[in-house]
Amino acid sequence: VTNNGFEPFNPQESINFFDDAYSVIVDRDPRDIYASIIKVDESFLPKFETDEGLFSKEYIQRLKEDMLGTADIQTFITRQRIYREKMQIEKDHPRIVYVWYEDLVLNYDYTVKEILSKLDVDPNLHTKKKQFFDPAQSAKNVGIWKKMKNSDEIKLIEKELKDYLYTT
């Protein structure tokens, strides 16, 4: 049993529990992962994170800071490198689909069509489009790093994690 249904860092282990399972992994530019915590007031938080009133925006920010290691840039970079190196092992698995968060947000229809095609799912079954994931809202979280592009931290992320950056 795993913490997540399918671990994005070792999805093949989860897939092996099922006869016909697939894993769709949505990766994101590490610059925006970092910037979304540092520039939290300029980021979009989905309703499910704040809607119930159980947790404050500040609590969610501290939780994400701890989870991602953004309090120390070297910790953040090390953690991101480890995650992505583990993901690379599975890149060619036929039942694991990788997409960029940025593509899902900025090219939603095309990216969803590609995902459904790789999963061999009839596109007509996708009946609740944008009801749970709104690319227009999520677009606010793409390119946040550009507001800090001259910062030492973003430059270090670009240098240390250059193989994992989203490029259009």
Side-chain angles (χ1 to χ4, degrees), residues 124-138:
N124 294 318
L125 295 174
H126 186 211
T127 58
K128 296 186 179 186
K129 297 175 185 172
K130 302 179 185 176
Q131 287 185 25
F132 302 99
F133 175 75
D134 183 354
Q137 289 289 357
S138 296

Side-chain angles (χ1 to χ4, degrees), residues 20-25 94-98 111-122:
D20 194 24
Y22 285 80
S23 180
V24 178
I25 298 173
R95 292 181 6 213
I96 300 172
V97 179
Y98 290 88
T111 304
V112 168
K113 182 179 174 184
E114 289 294 306
I115 293 169
L116 295 175
S117 174
K118 290 177 183 178
L119 300 177
D120 196 27
V121 172
D122 181 350

